[in-house]
Structures are given as C-alpha cells and as structure tokens.
C-alpha cells in the first residue's frame, strides 16, 4: 500500500528555502567575521578566536534546551513554527549588531560588544530557529519519501546560498566603498533577505496535529524517555558514536582552517576576490556529489566503502592543492580543490543516515532508543569543533605576527598562512580517512541482527 502523501511540490520547495535564511548568517560569519574584526575593527585574531570558542560551548548546550522547549510548545502555529518564525528576527538584529561595532570605541568594549551579540545570535536566536527548522521535517509529514525529498531540497538551498554569499560578498563590500559602513550595509541587506526567506518558509508549511502524528503507532514504537545523563552514559559505550563525534570534530577543524582562505587569497595570492572563485570550486562539486550520493550508496551497497574511497580522493585532492599552492598555479589549485570537494561530498550526504545506523547499533546492543540525544550530542560536537577550529586559526594568525592591512605580511605570517590553508586541511582529511576505515557500523549491525535471529 502506497504511503499517504502530505505535501505538494511548493510545500517542499518552501520548506527547503528556509535554509537561505540560515546560510545567509552562517556563510557570512564563517567566511568573513574574522577578517572584518581584524582588518576593519582592529581586534586581535587570537582573542576573537577564543571568544568564538567559548560561545560555541554555550551554543552546543542550548541545542538540548531548545529541543526540550519545542517539544513542550503548543500554539496555533504548532510546536516548531513559532520558534522558527520569531527566533529569526532576533538573528537578524544580532547579525547587524556584530557588523555595527563602533570603530572608535575602546577595545575592551568592542570585544564585549562582539561577544554579547555573537553569543545571543548563536546560542540563542539562531539555535532556536535552526532546531525548530530541523524539527519540522518530522512534524509536517509522516511520509519517509517526502522527508528525504525535503532534506535534499534543503541542502541544495544551503550550499547554493553559501556559495553565493562567499562569491559576491567581497565585491559587494568593495562596491559599497569598503570600510565599516560597507560591511554594516551588507549585513543589513543580508538580514532582510533572511527575514523574508524565513517567513515565507514558515508560512509555506503546516504542522500536523499531535493526534495525526501519533496515529498508527504502537506502544513499542513510542520512544522511551531518558534524562540526558542516562542517555549519554548509554552513548559513550557505543564506539561508533565516538568515531562519528571525532569525525564531526575533524570536519569542523577542516572547515575552520579552510575558512581562513580569504587571508591566503589576500596576502599570498594577492587578490582577496579569489575567495569567491574558490568557493565555487568547493560548492559546485559538493552539490553535484550530493545529487548522486543516493545512487552511489545503492551501487556500493552501503556507505562504508563509498565514504572511504571518497575521502581518499578528498585527501589526494588536498595534496594536489598543496603542490599547486607552492607552485603559485591558481588554475591547478582550483582543479584540485574541486576534486577534493567531490570526494568529500558522499560523507556530507549520508552523515545523517550514518548517525541513524549508529543509533540502531545502540538499540541492538542495549535495547535502548536514544535517537534524539544522539543527534543533540553530535550537534554539540559540531559546534564545539567549529569553535575550537576558529580559535586555533585565530591563535595561529596572531602568533604569526600578522599585521592588519599591511601591503606585505612578515615572512612568518606568510608561512603560517601556507600551513593553515594548505597543510592543515589535508591532514584533517587524512585523519578522517583513518577513522572511516574503522567505522563499519553497517557490518556490525548485520552481525548483531544475525545473532538475534
């Protein structure tokens, strides 16, 4: 019997477009906040990195809090949509505030301004909005096929938005005259775009009632309730869960060091506008890879071999970037960057499925279902990893003797930029490859299922 369908095509597209709003913020901050704070405001990159790392710890903890709050919410809009709708207005205000730091203010006050605005944005409004947005997948349809389609559409909007923000922002700021006023105007325009896309996404879908969501479920299918400590104790005995957390940490370290590419383009290659070109070389192959990942998973009869082969290609691609970088051959750097991104894309596409498979391993070995806590903990690992990565990048930049807006940076800084942008991403990819070789949870589940039979 065919599963009941709940959504029209415009509901799916409307839902997916919500990731325009999220990635307007994410792409702008991850790629440009550091260079804005160092080169425009004049703050120390090491201190900024430390503040971002501290804020990410609060950010990760708030995931669990807002998840619980959404579960308890009951309004005419539903459980998740109010948090998604109203949370984004706070996101917009905080985003603009970050890019409105007065340049003539005392430095201590500037650090405090940034930290307060950044932590309110990430640990507060953005987390509330994003957790609610993700929760909608399970609240607006019970059809698994529709959920997969929603996820695919969402990722298309996410990578597309990130690509455009990274590609056009440097030129946009220059066209507006550069300086603090230009960055402020760009932030305001992006915030308005985010508010519009987020609101349209909220209004394009409708949550199902609690009765309809529970319809057809047996008592066995209802998830058991555990407090966070009990669930965490269960998870730490799952070696595959720990490997996934390690993989997430390394992936975020990779992203943070790669995000420092704008410094490499500006001070090594001599053209910060190239950052946009390199973002195309990363994101277009990534989108192509995401499109074909479901077919490749079927062809390889699982995720294990596909992910390993993909990351071997990704590591080889980054080795090629290192060689081309020292040669100063930009076209070759772009080509190898694209190869690396294409190789890394399968893991990006099947990571949620890998987490679900790892959660099944916990159920098979302990008889307990802790899916929600597993996703919250991996999200916590992602955010903390991103914070640590940004902090390390900031510390390295500060230790290198970086001089803001200097026509020529000290040799120590140039060498450090080579390490940060060329060597570290390759090393992180290599480490992920080693973890993936051990992460054969699909095989472990099959063996446990055979034993159970």
């Amino acid at each position: 019997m065919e599963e009941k369908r709940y959504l029209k095509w415009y509901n799916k597209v409307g839902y997916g477009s919500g990731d325009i709003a999220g990635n307007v913020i994410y792409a702008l901050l991850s790629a440009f906040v550091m260079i804005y704070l160092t080169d425009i405001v004049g703050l120390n990159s090491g201190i900024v990195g430390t503040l971002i790392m501290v804020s990410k710890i609060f950010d990760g903890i708030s995931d669990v809090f807002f998840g619980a709050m959404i579960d308890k919410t009951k309004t005419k809009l539903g459980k998740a949509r109010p948090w998604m709708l109203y949370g984004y207005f706070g996101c917009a205000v905080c985003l603009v505030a970050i890019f409105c730091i007065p340049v003539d203010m005392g430095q201590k006050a500037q650090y405090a301004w940034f930290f307060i605005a950044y932590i309110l944005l990430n640990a507060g409004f953005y987390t509330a909005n994003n957790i609610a947005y993700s929760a909608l997948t399970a609240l607006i349809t019970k059809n698994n096929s529709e959920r997969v389609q929603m996820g695919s559409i969402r990722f298309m909007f996410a990578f597309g938005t990130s690509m455009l923000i990274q590609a056009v922002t440097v030129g946009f700021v220059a066209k507006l005259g550069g300086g603090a006023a230009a960055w402020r105007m760009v932030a305001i325009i992006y915030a308005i775009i985010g508010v519009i896309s987020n609101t349209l996404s909220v209004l394009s879908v409708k949550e199902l009632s609690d009765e309809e969501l529970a319809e057809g479920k047996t008592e066995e299918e209802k998830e058991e309730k555990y407090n966070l400590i009990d669930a965490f104790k269960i998870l730490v005995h799952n070696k595959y869960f720990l490997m996934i957390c390690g993989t997430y940490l390394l992936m975020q370290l990779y992203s943070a060091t790669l995000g420092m590419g704008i410094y490499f383009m500006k001070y090594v290659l001599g053209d910060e506008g190239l950052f946009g070109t390199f973002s195309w070389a990363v994101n277009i192959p990534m989108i192509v890879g995401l499109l074909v990942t479901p077919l490749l998973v079927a062809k390889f009869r699982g995720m294990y071999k596909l992910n390993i082969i993909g990351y071997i290609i990704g590591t080889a691609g980054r080795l090629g970037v290192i060689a081309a970088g020292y040669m100063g051959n930009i076209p070759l750097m772009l080509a190898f960057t694209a190869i690396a991104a294409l190789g890394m894309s399968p893991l990006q596409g099947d990571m949620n499925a890998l987490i679900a498979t790892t959660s099944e391993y916990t159920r098979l070995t302990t008889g307990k279902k802790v899916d929600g806590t597993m996703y919250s903990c991996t999200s916590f690992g992602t955010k903390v990893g991103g914070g640590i990565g940004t902090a390390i990048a900031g510390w390295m930049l500060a230790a290198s003797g970086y001089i803001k807006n200097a026509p020529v940076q000290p040799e120590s800084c140039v060498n450090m930029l080579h390490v940060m942008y060329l060597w570290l991403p390759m090393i992180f990819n290599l480490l992920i490859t080693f973890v993936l070789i051990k992460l054969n949870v699909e095989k472990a589940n099959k063996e446990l299922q055979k034993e159970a039979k």
Side-chain angles (χ1 to χ4, degrees):
M1 185 177 176
E2 187 179 353
E3 270 193 288
K4 178 181 176 181
R5 295 188 177 275
Y6 296 84
L7 306 174
K8 304 290 187 184
W9 67 268
Y10 50 82
N11 300 127
K12 300 170 191 174
V13 173
Y15 170 80
S17 68
D19 240 339
I20 295 174
N23 280 277
V24 160
I25 293 173
Y26 180 79
L28 183 62
L29 291 179
S30 62
F32 301 109
V33 74
M34 183 68 83
I35 199 163
Y36 160 75
L37 292 172
T38 57
D39 287 20
I40 303 298
V41 183
L43 302 183
N44 179 278
S45 62
I47 297 175
V48 171
T50 303
L51 293 177
I52 290 175
M53 181 180 68
V54 172
S55 76
K56 290 295 183 181
I57 295 172
F58 291 102
D59 190 6
I61 294 171
S62 67
D63 275 4
V64 180
F65 170 76
F66 283 112
M69 292 300 293
I70 290 167
D71 285 339
K72 295 175 183 178
T73 299
K74 290 185 179 181
T75 70
K76 290 182 179 179
L77 278 175
K79 291 177 176 291
R81 290 202 300 161
W83 292 93
M84 181 179 170
L85 177 63
Y86 300 120
Y88 200 86
F89 289 101
C91 291
V93 171
C94 291
L95 181 68
V96 173
I98 288 170
F99 287 91
C100 284
I101 300 174
V103 294
D104 55 352
M105 180 185 275
Q107 273 211 336
K108 289 183 179 178
Q110 288 175 328
Y111 285 123
W113 180 305
F114 165 70
F115 184 68
I116 292 169
Y118 193 84
I119 202 168
L120 281 174
L121 171 61
N122 283 279
F125 298 113
Y126 186 80
T127 295
N129 170 269
N130 201 250
I131 292 290
Y133 180 51
S134 298
L136 276 180
T137 306
L139 295 174
I140 63 178
T141 178
K142 293 164 62 179
N143 186 302
N144 284 330
S145 176
E146 289 182 333
R147 288 173 177 173
V148 171
Q149 292 167 5
M150 289 163 60
S152 297
I153 294 170
R154 174 184 178 177
F155 275 114
M156 293 289 289
F157 276 108
F159 281 104
T161 303
S162 292
M163 179 171 62
L164 287 173
I165 294 295
Q166 292 168 5
V168 306
T169 298
V170 171
F172 196 11
V173 170
K175 192 162 270 191
L176 291 173
W183 280 104
R184 181 170 61 248
M185 182 56 64
V186 166
I188 291 171
I189 293 170
Y190 286 175
I192 292 171
I193 292 171
V195 167
I196 293 170
S197 62
N198 183 75
T199 303
L200 291 175
S201 181
V202 170
L203 299 178
S204 69
V205 295
K206 183 179 180 181
E207 293 182 35
L208 302 176
S209 66
D210 290 340
E211 293 75 18
E212 191 167 4
L213 287 168
E215 191 177 284
K217 283 190 175 182
T218 65
E219 288 300 319
E220 291 180 355
E221 291 174 315
K222 293 179 180 177
E223 186 174 346
E224 293 181 73
K225 300 296 182 182
Y226 301 95
N227 64 45
L228 184 61
I229 295 174
D230 290 338
F232 184 72
K233 286 178 180 177
I234 293 170
L235 287 178
V236 294
H237 289 94
N238 183 338
K239 63 181 180 180
Y240 299 110
F241 167 74
L242 298 178
M243 289 180 200
I244 285 179
C245 288
T247 301
Y248 262 125
L249 176 64
L250 291 167
M251 289 168 72
Q252 291 304 309
L253 291 171
Y254 174 94
S255 296
T257 52
L258 207 64
M260 299 297 284
I262 190 165
Y263 289 94
F264 189 86
M265 309 305 160
K266 183 175 182 178
Y267 295 112
V268 178
L269 299 183
D271 182 5
E272 62 183 329
L274 283 171
F275 185 76
T277 307
F278 275 85
S279 76
W280 287 88
V282 170
N283 286 292
I284 290 179
M286 188 69 74
I287 291 171
V288 172
L290 286 170
L291 286 171
V292 300
T293 292
L295 298 174
L296 292 173
V297 170
K299 181 178 177 61
F300 281 87
R301 297 181 181 179
M303 299 172 280
Y304 177 66
K305 290 182 180 178
L306 173 62
N307 288 337
I308 292 173
I309 293 170
Y311 257 81
I312 289 173
I313 294 171
T315 304
R318 292 308 305 182
L319 275 170
V321 174
I322 292 174
Y326 281 103
M327 290 165 56
N329 190 324
I330 293 174
L332 201 56
M333 285 184 70
L334 289 167
F336 280 118
T337 296
I339 291 170
L342 189 62
M344 295 162 61
S345 60
L347 184 62
Q348 295 281 348
D350 65 32
M351 183 57 96
N352 279 345
L354 192 59
I355 294 171
T357 306
T358 304
S359 183
E360 177 67 6
Y361 179 83
T362 295
R363 188 190 68 78
L364 290 169
T365 52
T366 67
K368 310 294 185 183
K369 288 185 67 177
V370 287
D371 299 0
T373 308
M374 178 170 284
Y375 277 96
S376 295
C377 289
T378 50
S379 175
F380 177 78
T382 299
K383 291 179 176 180
V384 172
I388 292 172
T390 303
I392 290 173
W395 296 335
M396 293 175 73
L397 192 64
S400 72
Y402 172 75
I403 304 170
K404 71 166 188 173
N405 294 318
V408 179
Q409 290 293 336
E411 186 179 355
S412 58
C413 179
V414 172
N415 290 335
M416 186 67 81
L417 289 174
H418 278 85
V419 171
M420 290 165 62
Y421 186 71
L422 299 181
W423 285 98
L424 287 182
M426 186 279 297
I427 292 170
F428 293 139
N429 269 6
L430 184 62
L431 292 173
I432 290 171
T433 306
F434 288 142
V435 175
L436 291 176
I437 290 171
K438 298 287 186 180
L439 217 170
N440 197 353
V441 65
E442 294 165 290
K443 180 181 178 182
N445 282 358
K446 288 177 182 178
E447 291 175 351
L448 288 168
Q449 287 161 355
K450 284 181 183 178
E451 290 175 12
K453 288 180 181 179

